[in-house]
Amino acid sequence: MFSLYVTHDELTTVQPGEPAAQGLRMNDDFYAEHSDSPLPALAPALEGKSLQLRADLEYAEPPIWRRLVVPAFMNLADLHSALQVAFGWNNSHLHDFEQRSADGLHVLRFSNGEMEEDMAEDEFQVSVGQLARQPKDSFHYNYDYGDSWRLKLVLEKIVDTPPGQLMRCTGGRMRSPVDDIGGIPGWEHAVEILADPRHPDYQRYRNFLGLAPGEVFDPKYFNARTIDDEYARLLR
């Protein structure tokens, strides 16, 4: 699921969708040597650093958000995968990242090239640290142009890269909407129905969300450890 990993002395490229090899971890040397980005290179001050990002699902009320710590050198393709895990989505739709240019006159877009007539830059060639260089820098992630999920990502702070697992979820709030529910209005409708067992569509929505018999649906549920454990599994 994550694109680039390295052993102690050998760089290995793993194609998206292929399982990561045991004991591998992402490596910043590859990004430095293979970057062809329209943005300034990763700032020296970010070398060896990680970024604490807050990702808010826009238009959600009450707020639905996740806090992630990722290496500054991580490319946007890997950040896409990390966000899919953090919000419980299944990577079944198109996506892109966008950021307004420094002069405020243009919007830079980054994607994996799957969209027809895609004029966006290659997300594999751009690191998170090139978009978020100092606290309060922000950019957006768009996923599923039907449901129109839109995350605003803000750099909260720059931290030393922790030992061990390079990518973590350290906080958040609320259960995330599921794929193909109909956007924010559809999710709000689903939450309303699932609060009323007498509603004629109650069981249909339980089935759609994959809830087991007797499982309680709680729209406030959030567990950072579950996300963190999934990152650990994918990075093994």
Side-chain angles (χ1 to χ4, degrees):
M1 189 172 189
F2 297 98
S3 63
L4 299 172
Y5 302 82
V6 69
T7 59
H8 293 294
D9 56 2
E10 179 182 7
L11 183 69
T12 303
T13 301
V14 181
Q15 297 300 319
E18 293 182 358
Q22 182 71 27
L24 301 183
R25 64 177 179 82
M26 292 178 291
N27 173 256
D28 53 351
D29 292 338
F30 183 93
Y31 295 95
E33 296 172 7
H34 296 78
S35 177
D36 183 21
S37 166
L39 299 168
L42 188 67
L46 292 180
E47 292 181 4
K49 298 292 186 178
S50 287
L51 309 178
Q52 179 176 298
L53 302 171
R54 172 162 164 157
D56 281 78
L57 181 60
E58 292 198 334
Y59 316 117
E61 193 60 45
I64 299 172
W65 58 274
R66 303 289 184 262
R67 177 171 288 119
L68 306 180
V69 177
V70 303
F73 64 73
M74 173 186 276
N75 68 25
L76 295 182
D78 284 341
L79 181 60
H80 156 68
S81 296
L83 292 169
Q84 289 286 307
V85 172
F87 284 85
W89 294 325
N90 59 25
N91 197 21
S92 58
H93 300 281
L94 298 174
H95 73 276
D96 67 65
F97 292 89
E98 63 179 60
Q99 185 179 55
R100 190 163 293 279
S101 60
D103 60 15
L105 299 178
H106 307 284
V107 173
L108 304 175
R109 295 179 60 246
F110 310 89
S111 77
N112 59 5
E114 291 183 352
M115 292 180 288
E116 293 184 6
E117 300 180 1
D118 191 356
M119 300 300 292
E121 301 292 339
D122 184 357
E123 65 183 23
F124 282 89
Q125 300 294 335
V126 178
S127 69
V128 182
Q130 289 176 272
L131 295 187
R133 303 168 67 86
Q134 57 188 357
K136 297 185 179 180
D137 281 354
S138 65
F139 57 101
H140 285 85
Y141 169 76
N142 302 301
Y143 170 65
D144 184 357
Y145 305 124
D147 278 4
S148 299
W149 305 121
R150 181 172 171 85
L151 302 178
K152 182 178 182 179
L153 294 106
V154 178
L155 174 57
E156 293 185 316
K157 61 181 179 179
I158 300 167
V159 300
D160 291 333
T161 298
Q165 187 171 319
L166 292 183
M167 181 171 54
R168 296 187 181 278
C169 176
T170 61
R173 184 185 182 196
M174 304 294 291
R175 183 171 184 148
S176 177
V178 298
D179 274 292
D180 302 317
I181 197 68
I184 293 294
W187 180 245
E188 292 174 343
H189 184 60
V191 170
E192 181 180 339
I193 288 175
L194 290 167
D196 181 10
R198 296 171 297 178
H199 195 284
D201 289 330
Y202 176 78
Q203 191 57 49
R204 181 170 70 87
Y205 272 85
R206 285 187 60 87
N207 293 341
F208 186 82
L209 266 67
L211 299 174
E215 182 179 353
V216 176
F217 172 77
D218 181 4
K220 297 181 179 180
Y221 176 80
F222 169 74
N223 189 335
R225 178 63 181 272
T226 300
I227 298 170
D228 225 22
D229 288 348
E230 180 65 6
Y231 287 154
R233 186 187 71 81
L234 292 169
L235 289 168
R236 282 202 299 267

